[in-house]
Amino acid sequence: MSRPGTATPALALVLLAVTLAGVGAQGAALEDPDYYGQEIWSREPYYARPEPEPETFSPPLPAGPGEEWERRPQEPRPPKRATKPKKAPKREKSAPEPPPPGKHSNKKVMRTKSSEKAANDDHNIRVAHEDFRESCLPLGLETLKITDFQLHASTVKRYGLGAHRGRLNIQAGINENDFYDGAWCAGRNDLQQWIEVDARRLTRFTGVITQGRNSLWLSDWVTSYKVLVSNDSHTWVTVKNGSGDMIFEGNSEKEIPVLNELPVPMVARYIRINPQSWFDNGSICMRMEILGCPLPDPNNYYHRRNEMTTTDDLDFKHHNYKEMRQLMKVVNEMCPNITRIYNIGKSHQGLKLYAVEISDHPGEHEVGEPEFHYIAGAHGNEVLGRELLLLLVQFLCQEYLAGNARIVHLVEETRIHILPSLNPDGYEKAYEGGSELGGWSLGRWTHDGIDINNNFPDLNTLLWEAEDRQNVPRKVPNHYIAIPEWFLSENATVAAETRAVIAWMEKIPFVLGGNLQGGELVVAYPYDLVRSPWKTQEHTPTPDDHVFRWLAYSYASTHRLMTDARRRVCHTEDFQKEEGTVNGASWHTVAGSLNDFSYLHTNCFELSIYVGCDKYPHESQLPEEWENNRESLIVFMEQVHRGIKGLVRDSHGKGIPNAIISVEGINHDIRTANDGDYWRLLNPGEYAVTAKAEGFTASTKNCMVGYDMGATWCDFTLSKTNMARIREIMEKFGKQPVSLPARRLKLQGRKRRQRG
């Protein structure tokens, strides 16, 4: 096996300099030589770009009675909606304009005369800053960076509709009960209601994003509102439109986020939203996010202590399809000896589903070496998993070249496959909407409206019905259950992406896999389908439940937040009782999940890893999310080396494919690969393991699994049965073996006829 080389100094610089010209969804294929010749590498990572110097000032005093600040009259800015992203204005030669906020950039800065005048006329509440208008990042209501204690409201309808529930994209519980509902709702419907955010430091507020109430049954949203700011939460200044209070247009339905930018950015500690009108048949209910730039405070130890930084020189940005392929190519060029790029099929719109293989012998299955995969982006709008896998590909390449012993061992002893975007069609839709304006579901499904996450064949029901009829294992085995014929027909409602994954998993003998999803912080393990058909939630363990629990805990326990009992729940579920893990069926039932299909149709143990509360975090959050998940991503891969492995051979030393490996006490078998090698994930302990194959005499051994990392070798040599040897001899001479029982019955019948 090859050894790592010395890291080249240009490695980090090249990765950091990755920029990708153009945002086209498709672009040329990876192998097209002229396509990559047109790419220009000019982007620097966000932390390499100089930030504008902040304005220095003294903390303002509260406004006195009757005091108001003047500014030049301005027309109200129309709200920005996710469904109709506005076109970027023409670029000036002297000052190119970055993409708008809520999309994929960190900042947007443009000069406005009105903000310059407002800055000069300001008495108490400051406006940003000199002649620059800056649209800032989200404060973090959706990502939970803003705590519940920083949210306050005039009145609440009940606890489950309190101010702490007024977060962008927060989801209600199934029953919309008293504890977890889908918005802040005021206790009364009048013009005196408000919800406010305490930023806990002076902040340059630039915009507000609002939604209505998340509810299956009710229609509640705010159609217009005022915005007020304060430094002490007692004296408030209303955002003006000329001499009058500015009325911002709110929502016209409950799910599509609407962005309103303040006509002039305002510097204060508190910001308050005061609804002015709401849906006729509903109540005052809203979810929101605030855009703001916290001003630097070198004396504030609390904020400096909680800032997350990373030392990894990686490309922290959101990559569209074209950029993703380019990044893969760059990694492949830097680590050609350990990487290979290939595609497993195409999406509904013809985008290739690219995967990166990382191994010391890419493109080749090595006997005895387990195969692992990560998949992300089954839901196109859950983009954090996609970016984490692209970061992981870069990290493994860098660390291998740098001689990191842990990574070198992992790469040389494992064949790793990483598929960052299973649903690229959906991702492109979400990418157009952007981080804050995409909503909860834009881009979730494939282009033809299929949810890949539950588009696989339901093999659970086939198994359980057979068990109830006591037909196992004669008619339905406990593993490698065949896909129903109706599912394979062209008329079946099966996504092209689903068929591609199935073919991929049937071709490669995966041992362990994780599919990264978003919107929660938990690791879910199978089964995902409840066994009782009348229930929606029921603990439904597999025969390997103890192994799955360990695998889930290995990821959750090494994540920075999953097992933190102090963290706030993302939406409605508190997973701390099982240390950040959950049986999928006990959470919510899903028929035809990838986890269940992998377990019942292949050797692969698959888990769903929900990597963040925010499906589409702002680009500025990616370094922190990488730090949250980096160790977990590596630790989970290492679990593929836990249990037993070995070769099943005949007396001549030839590997026996499709030999069945059974473990006493566990009603789930696996099978050997084409070379006769196998891997069986098990927790530490002693196991009676049996290998059997058609035409061979079964063999049983005691195999010990230790606590140290590394699978225990447990080989088997099988001898052919007498009948198999006779059949082999007879076939060699062109004859068929005689069936002795049938011959005996024939002779007995002849004797009876002779007596008669």
Side-chain angles (χ1 to χ4, degrees), residues 376-423:
H379 295 149
N381 65 330
E382 295 172 6
V383 306
L384 177 55
R386 170 190 177 116
E387 296 306 327
L388 287 175
L389 293 189
L390 292 178
L391 291 168
L392 178 63
V393 169
Q394 300 172 61
F395 180 79
L396 292 176
C397 173
Q398 283 189 1
E399 295 301 304
Y400 185 87
L401 292 178
N404 182 326
R406 181 186 185 190
I407 300 303
V408 169
H409 182 267
L410 182 64
V411 170
E412 293 186 346
E413 299 299 329
T414 318
R415 192 181 182 204
I416 303 166
H417 304 257
I418 296 177
L419 180 66
S421 185
L422 178 55
N423 181 8

Short mmCIF file of all heavy atoms in Angstrom, two decimals, residues 376-423:
data_model
loop_
_atom_site.label_atom_id
_atom_site.label_comp_id
_atom_site.label_asym_id
_atom_site.label_seq_id
_atom_site.Cartn_x
_atom_site.Cartn_y
_atom_site.Cartn_z
N ALA A 376 -25.24 12.53 0.89
CA ALA A 376 -25.92 13.74 1.36
C ALA A 376 -26.83 14.25 0.25
O ALA A 376 -26.69 13.90 -0.92
CB ALA A 376 -24.91 14.81 1.76
N GLY A 377 -27.75 15.12 0.64
CA GLY A 377 -28.58 15.81 -0.34
C GLY A 377 -29.72 15.02 -0.92
O GLY A 377 -30.19 15.35 -2.00
N ALA A 378 -30.20 13.97 -0.24
CA ALA A 378 -31.41 13.29 -0.72
C ALA A 378 -32.56 14.29 -0.77
O ALA A 378 -33.38 14.27 -1.69
CB ALA A 378 -31.75 12.11 0.18
N HIS A 379 -32.62 15.15 0.25
CA HIS A 379 -33.49 16.33 0.21
C HIS A 379 -32.62 17.49 -0.27
O HIS A 379 -31.68 17.89 0.41
CB HIS A 379 -34.09 16.63 1.58
CG HIS A 379 -35.01 15.56 2.07
ND1 HIS A 379 -35.18 15.25 3.40
CD2 HIS A 379 -35.82 14.71 1.39
CE1 HIS A 379 -36.05 14.27 3.53
NE2 HIS A 379 -36.45 13.92 2.32
N GLY A 380 -32.95 18.03 -1.44
CA GLY A 380 -32.06 19.01 -2.06
C GLY A 380 -31.84 20.26 -1.26
O GLY A 380 -30.81 20.93 -1.42
N ASN A 381 -32.78 20.62 -0.38
CA ASN A 381 -32.63 21.86 0.39
C ASN A 381 -31.90 21.66 1.71
O ASN A 381 -31.67 22.63 2.43
CB ASN A 381 -34.01 22.48 0.66
CG ASN A 381 -34.89 21.61 1.55
OD1 ASN A 381 -34.77 20.38 1.53
ND2 ASN A 381 -35.76 22.22 2.31
N GLU A 382 -31.52 20.44 2.03
CA GLU A 382 -30.74 20.20 3.25
C GLU A 382 -29.27 20.21 2.86
O GLU A 382 -28.64 19.16 2.70
CB GLU A 382 -31.20 18.89 3.89
CG GLU A 382 -32.65 18.98 4.38
CD GLU A 382 -33.23 17.66 4.84
OE1 GLU A 382 -32.48 16.66 4.91
OE2 GLU A 382 -34.44 17.62 5.13
N VAL A 383 -28.74 21.41 2.73
CA VAL A 383 -27.46 21.60 2.06
C VAL A 383 -26.26 21.49 2.99
O VAL A 383 -25.13 21.39 2.52
CB VAL A 383 -27.43 22.96 1.33
CG1 VAL A 383 -28.63 23.10 0.42
CG2 VAL A 383 -27.41 24.11 2.33
N LEU A 384 -26.48 21.52 4.30
CA LEU A 384 -25.34 21.45 5.20
C LEU A 384 -24.59 20.13 5.03
O LEU A 384 -23.35 20.11 5.01
CB LEU A 384 -25.80 21.61 6.66
CG LEU A 384 -24.70 21.49 7.72
CD1 LEU A 384 -23.57 22.46 7.46
CD2 LEU A 384 -25.29 21.69 9.12
N GLY A 385 -25.29 19.02 4.88
CA GLY A 385 -24.63 17.74 4.68
C GLY A 385 -23.78 17.74 3.42
O GLY A 385 -22.67 17.20 3.40
N ARG A 386 -24.28 18.35 2.37
CA ARG A 386 -23.53 18.44 1.11
C ARG A 386 -22.21 19.17 1.32
O ARG A 386 -21.15 18.70 0.90
CB ARG A 386 -24.40 19.17 0.09
CG ARG A 386 -23.72 19.58 -1.21
CD ARG A 386 -24.65 20.50 -1.99
NE ARG A 386 -24.09 21.02 -3.21
CZ ARG A 386 -24.55 20.75 -4.43
NH1 ARG A 386 -25.56 19.92 -4.57
NH2 ARG A 386 -24.01 21.31 -5.50
N GLU A 387 -22.25 20.31 2.01
CA GLU A 387 -21.03 21.08 2.22
C GLU A 387 -20.08 20.38 3.19
O GLU A 387 -18.86 20.45 3.03
CB GLU A 387 -21.38 22.49 2.72
CG GLU A 387 -22.16 23.31 1.72
CD GLU A 387 -21.50 23.40 0.35
OE1 GLU A 387 -20.25 23.39 0.29
OE2 GLU A 387 -22.22 23.46 -0.65
N LEU A 388 -20.63 19.70 4.18
CA LEU A 388 -19.76 18.96 5.10
C LEU A 388 -18.99 17.87 4.37
O LEU A 388 -17.81 17.63 4.65
CB LEU A 388 -20.59 18.35 6.23
CG LEU A 388 -21.14 19.32 7.28
CD1 LEU A 388 -22.04 18.58 8.27
CD2 LEU A 388 -20.01 20.03 8.03
N LEU A 389 -19.63 17.20 3.43
CA LEU A 389 -18.94 16.14 2.70
C LEU A 389 -17.89 16.71 1.75
O LEU A 389 -16.82 16.12 1.55
CB LEU A 389 -19.94 15.27 1.93
CG LEU A 389 -20.88 14.43 2.80
CD1 LEU A 389 -21.67 13.45 1.94
CD2 LEU A 389 -20.13 13.68 3.89
N LEU A 390 -18.17 17.86 1.15
CA LEU A 390 -17.15 18.50 0.31
C LEU A 390 -15.97 18.95 1.16
O LEU A 390 -14.81 18.86 0.75
CB LEU A 390 -17.76 19.68 -0.44
CG LEU A 390 -18.79 19.33 -1.52
CD1 LEU A 390 -19.37 20.58 -2.15
CD2 LEU A 390 -18.18 18.43 -2.58
N LEU A 391 -16.24 19.43 2.36
CA LEU A 391 -15.16 19.79 3.28
C LEU A 391 -14.39 18.55 3.71
O LEU A 391 -13.15 18.58 3.83
CB LEU A 391 -15.73 20.52 4.50
CG LEU A 391 -16.30 21.91 4.24
CD1 LEU A 391 -17.09 22.40 5.46
CD2 LEU A 391 -15.21 22.91 3.90
N LEU A 392 -15.10 17.44 3.93
CA LEU A 392 -14.44 16.20 4.34
C LEU A 392 -13.50 15.69 3.25
O LEU A 392 -12.39 15.23 3.55
CB LEU A 392 -15.50 15.14 4.67
CG LEU A 392 -14.97 13.77 5.08
CD1 LEU A 392 -14.17 13.86 6.38
CD2 LEU A 392 -16.12 12.77 5.24
N VAL A 393 -13.92 15.78 1.99
CA VAL A 393 -13.06 15.35 0.89
C VAL A 393 -11.76 16.16 0.88
O VAL A 393 -10.66 15.61 0.75
CB VAL A 393 -13.81 15.50 -0.45
CG1 VAL A 393 -12.86 15.33 -1.62
CG2 VAL A 393 -14.94 14.48 -0.54
N GLN A 394 -11.89 17.48 1.03
CA GLN A 394 -10.69 18.33 1.07
C GLN A 394 -9.81 17.98 2.26
O GLN A 394 -8.58 17.88 2.15
CB GLN A 394 -11.11 19.80 1.17
CG GLN A 394 -11.97 20.32 0.04
CD GLN A 394 -12.48 21.72 0.34
OE1 GLN A 394 -11.70 22.65 0.51
NE2 GLN A 394 -13.78 21.87 0.40
N PHE A 395 -10.44 17.78 3.41
CA PHE A 395 -9.70 17.52 4.65
C PHE A 395 -8.92 16.21 4.55
O PHE A 395 -7.74 16.15 4.93
CB PHE A 395 -10.69 17.47 5.81
CG PHE A 395 -10.05 17.20 7.14
CD1 PHE A 395 -9.41 18.20 7.85
CD2 PHE A 395 -10.08 15.92 7.70
CE1 PHE A 395 -8.82 17.95 9.08
CE2 PHE A 395 -9.50 15.66 8.92
CZ PHE A 395 -8.86 16.69 9.61
N LEU A 396 -9.54 15.16 4.03
CA LEU A 396 -8.85 13.87 3.94
C LEU A 396 -7.65 13.97 3.00
O LEU A 396 -6.58 13.40 3.27
CB LEU A 396 -9.82 12.80 3.45
CG LEU A 396 -10.95 12.41 4.41
CD1 LEU A 396 -11.89 11.41 3.75
CD2 LEU A 396 -10.41 11.86 5.72
N CYS A 397 -7.82 14.70 1.91
CA CYS A 397 -6.70 14.88 0.97
C CYS A 397 -5.56 15.63 1.64
O CYS A 397 -4.40 15.21 1.58
CB CYS A 397 -7.20 15.63 -0.27
SG CYS A 397 -5.90 16.12 -1.42
N GLN A 398 -5.89 16.74 2.29
CA GLN A 398 -4.86 17.55 2.95
C GLN A 398 -4.12 16.76 4.02
O GLN A 398 -2.89 16.75 4.07
CB GLN A 398 -5.50 18.79 3.60
CG GLN A 398 -5.85 19.90 2.65
CD GLN A 398 -6.27 21.15 3.40
OE1 GLN A 398 -6.26 21.19 4.63
NE2 GLN A 398 -6.64 22.18 2.67
N GLU A 399 -4.88 16.12 4.87
CA GLU A 399 -4.26 15.43 6.00
C GLU A 399 -3.45 14.22 5.55
O GLU A 399 -2.44 13.87 6.16
CB GLU A 399 -5.33 15.02 7.02
CG GLU A 399 -6.03 16.20 7.68
CD GLU A 399 -5.05 17.10 8.41
OE1 GLU A 399 -4.32 16.61 9.29
OE2 GLU A 399 -5.02 18.30 8.09
N TYR A 400 -3.89 13.56 4.49
CA TYR A 400 -3.11 12.43 3.96
C TYR A 400 -1.76 12.93 3.44
O TYR A 400 -0.71 12.33 3.73
CB TYR A 400 -3.89 11.73 2.85
CG TYR A 400 -3.21 10.49 2.33
CD1 TYR A 400 -3.41 9.26 2.94
CD2 TYR A 400 -2.35 10.55 1.23
CE1 TYR A 400 -2.79 8.10 2.46
CE2 TYR A 400 -1.72 9.41 0.75
CZ TYR A 400 -1.94 8.19 1.38
OH TYR A 400 -1.31 7.07 0.92
N LEU A 401 -1.78 14.01 2.69
CA LEU A 401 -0.53 14.55 2.18
C LEU A 401 0.37 15.07 3.30
O LEU A 401 1.59 15.03 3.19
CB LEU A 401 -0.82 15.68 1.19
CG LEU A 401 -1.48 15.29 -0.13
CD1 LEU A 401 -1.74 16.51 -0.98
CD2 LEU A 401 -0.63 14.28 -0.89
N ALA A 402 -0.26 15.55 4.37
CA ALA A 402 0.52 16.06 5.50
C ALA A 402 1.05 14.94 6.39
O ALA A 402 1.79 15.21 7.34
CB ALA A 402 -0.33 17.03 6.32
N GLY A 403 0.65 13.70 6.14
CA GLY A 403 1.16 12.58 6.91
C GLY A 403 0.46 12.35 8.23
O GLY A 403 1.02 11.72 9.14
N ASN A 404 -0.77 12.82 8.37
CA ASN A 404 -1.56 12.57 9.57
C ASN A 404 -1.77 11.06 9.71
O ASN A 404 -2.45 10.43 8.90
CB ASN A 404 -2.91 13.30 9.47
CG ASN A 404 -3.77 13.15 10.70
OD1 ASN A 404 -3.77 12.11 11.36
ND2 ASN A 404 -4.52 14.19 11.02
N ALA A 405 -1.18 10.46 10.74
CA ALA A 405 -1.16 9.00 10.87
C ALA A 405 -2.56 8.41 10.93
O ALA A 405 -2.83 7.35 10.36
CB ALA A 405 -0.36 8.61 12.12
N ARG A 406 -3.46 9.10 11.60
CA ARG A 406 -4.82 8.59 11.73
C ARG A 406 -5.52 8.56 10.36
O ARG A 406 -6.17 7.56 10.02
CB ARG A 406 -5.61 9.48 12.69
CG ARG A 406 -7.03 9.04 12.94
CD ARG A 406 -7.77 10.06 13.78
NE ARG A 406 -9.10 9.63 14.14
CZ ARG A 406 -10.01 10.43 14.71
NH1 ARG A 406 -9.69 11.69 14.99
NH2 ARG A 406 -11.20 9.98 15.01
N ILE A 407 -5.37 9.63 9.60
CA ILE A 407 -6.01 9.69 8.29
C ILE A 407 -5.33 8.73 7.31
O ILE A 407 -6.00 8.08 6.49
CB ILE A 407 -5.99 11.13 7.76
CG1 ILE A 407 -6.74 12.06 8.73
CG2 ILE A 407 -6.61 11.20 6.37
CD1 ILE A 407 -8.17 11.66 9.01
N VAL A 408 -4.02 8.63 7.37
CA VAL A 408 -3.30 7.71 6.50
C VAL A 408 -3.79 6.28 6.73
O VAL A 408 -4.05 5.54 5.78
CB VAL A 408 -1.78 7.82 6.74
CG1 VAL A 408 -1.04 6.68 6.04
CG2 VAL A 408 -1.26 9.16 6.25
N HIS A 409 -3.92 5.89 7.98
CA HIS A 409 -4.39 4.54 8.30
C HIS A 409 -5.81 4.33 7.78
O HIS A 409 -6.14 3.27 7.21
CB HIS A 409 -4.33 4.31 9.81
CG HIS A 409 -4.76 2.94 10.21
ND1 HIS A 409 -6.08 2.65 10.56
CD2 HIS A 409 -4.09 1.76 10.32
CE1 HIS A 409 -6.18 1.37 10.87
NE2 HIS A 409 -4.99 0.81 10.74
N LEU A 410 -6.67 5.33 7.97
CA LEU A 410 -8.06 5.21 7.53
C LEU A 410 -8.13 5.05 6.01
O LEU A 410 -8.87 4.19 5.49
CB LEU A 410 -8.84 6.45 7.97
CG LEU A 410 -10.34 6.48 7.63
CD1 LEU A 410 -11.07 5.36 8.36
CD2 LEU A 410 -10.93 7.83 8.00
N VAL A 411 -7.37 5.85 5.29
CA VAL A 411 -7.41 5.80 3.82
C VAL A 411 -6.83 4.49 3.31
O VAL A 411 -7.35 3.89 2.35
CB VAL A 411 -6.65 7.00 3.24
CG1 VAL A 411 -6.45 6.85 1.73
CG2 VAL A 411 -7.40 8.30 3.55
N GLU A 412 -5.76 4.00 3.92
CA GLU A 412 -5.10 2.80 3.43
C GLU A 412 -5.82 1.52 3.82
O GLU A 412 -5.61 0.48 3.20
CB GLU A 412 -3.65 2.76 3.93
CG GLU A 412 -2.80 3.86 3.34
CD GLU A 412 -1.34 3.74 3.73
OE1 GLU A 412 -1.04 2.95 4.66
OE2 GLU A 412 -0.51 4.42 3.11
N GLU A 413 -6.67 1.58 4.83
CA GLU A 413 -7.36 0.37 5.28
C GLU A 413 -8.85 0.38 4.97
O GLU A 413 -9.57 -0.54 5.33
CB GLU A 413 -7.17 0.20 6.80
CG GLU A 413 -5.72 0.06 7.22
CD GLU A 413 -5.04 -1.16 6.62
OE1 GLU A 413 -5.75 -2.17 6.39
OE2 GLU A 413 -3.83 -1.09 6.35
N THR A 414 -9.33 1.43 4.27
CA THR A 414 -10.76 1.55 3.99
C THR A 414 -10.94 2.08 2.58
O THR A 414 -10.17 2.93 2.12
CB THR A 414 -11.43 2.53 4.97
OG1 THR A 414 -10.94 2.33 6.28
CG2 THR A 414 -12.94 2.37 4.95
N ARG A 415 -11.95 1.60 1.90
CA ARG A 415 -12.34 2.19 0.61
C ARG A 415 -13.56 3.06 0.86
O ARG A 415 -14.65 2.57 1.17
CB ARG A 415 -12.64 1.09 -0.41
CG ARG A 415 -12.78 1.61 -1.84
CD ARG A 415 -13.09 0.49 -2.80
NE ARG A 415 -13.18 0.97 -4.17
CZ ARG A 415 -13.86 0.36 -5.13
NH1 ARG A 415 -14.51 -0.78 -4.87
NH2 ARG A 415 -13.90 0.86 -6.35
N ILE A 416 -13.35 4.38 0.77
CA ILE A 416 -14.35 5.37 1.15
C ILE A 416 -15.00 5.95 -0.10
O ILE A 416 -14.30 6.37 -1.02
CB ILE A 416 -13.71 6.49 1.99
CG1 ILE A 416 -13.02 5.91 3.23
CG2 ILE A 416 -14.74 7.53 2.39
CD1 ILE A 416 -12.09 6.89 3.91
N HIS A 417 -16.32 6.01 -0.11
CA HIS A 417 -17.07 6.60 -1.21
C HIS A 417 -17.91 7.75 -0.65
O HIS A 417 -18.64 7.56 0.34
CB HIS A 417 -17.99 5.58 -1.88
CG HIS A 417 -17.28 4.37 -2.38
ND1 HIS A 417 -16.98 4.16 -3.71
CD2 HIS A 417 -16.79 3.28 -1.72
CE1 HIS A 417 -16.35 3.01 -3.85
NE2 HIS A 417 -16.22 2.44 -2.65
N ILE A 418 -17.84 8.92 -1.27
CA ILE A 418 -18.56 10.10 -0.79
C ILE A 418 -19.40 10.65 -1.93
O ILE A 418 -18.87 11.06 -2.97
CB ILE A 418 -17.59 11.16 -0.25
CG1 ILE A 418 -16.87 10.60 0.98
CG2 ILE A 418 -18.32 12.44 0.10
CD1 ILE A 418 -15.83 11.54 1.57
N LEU A 419 -20.72 10.65 -1.74
CA LEU A 419 -21.68 11.15 -2.72
C LEU A 419 -22.33 12.41 -2.13
O LEU A 419 -23.28 12.32 -1.37
CB LEU A 419 -22.74 10.08 -3.01
CG LEU A 419 -23.83 10.42 -4.01
CD1 LEU A 419 -23.25 10.59 -5.42
CD2 LEU A 419 -24.91 9.34 -4.02
N PRO A 420 -21.83 13.60 -2.47
CA PRO A 420 -22.28 14.81 -1.78
C PRO A 420 -23.68 15.28 -2.14
O PRO A 420 -24.31 15.96 -1.34
CB PRO A 420 -21.25 15.88 -2.20
CG PRO A 420 -20.13 15.14 -2.84
CD PRO A 420 -20.74 13.89 -3.40
N SER A 421 -24.17 14.94 -3.33
CA SER A 421 -25.45 15.51 -3.77
C SER A 421 -26.25 14.47 -4.52
O SER A 421 -26.08 14.27 -5.72
CB SER A 421 -25.21 16.73 -4.65
OG SER A 421 -26.42 17.37 -4.98
N LEU A 422 -27.16 13.82 -3.82
CA LEU A 422 -28.01 12.80 -4.43
C LEU A 422 -29.15 13.42 -5.21
O LEU A 422 -29.68 12.81 -6.14
CB LEU A 422 -28.55 11.85 -3.36
CG LEU A 422 -29.49 10.74 -3.81
CD1 LEU A 422 -28.85 9.89 -4.90
CD2 LEU A 422 -29.89 9.86 -2.63
N ASN A 423 -29.54 14.63 -4.85
CA ASN A 423 -30.66 15.31 -5.50
C ASN A 423 -30.21 16.68 -6.00
O ASN A 423 -30.62 17.71 -5.46
CB ASN A 423 -31.83 15.43 -4.51
CG ASN A 423 -33.05 16.11 -5.11
OD1 ASN A 423 -33.12 16.36 -6.31
ND2 ASN A 423 -34.03 16.41 -4.27
#
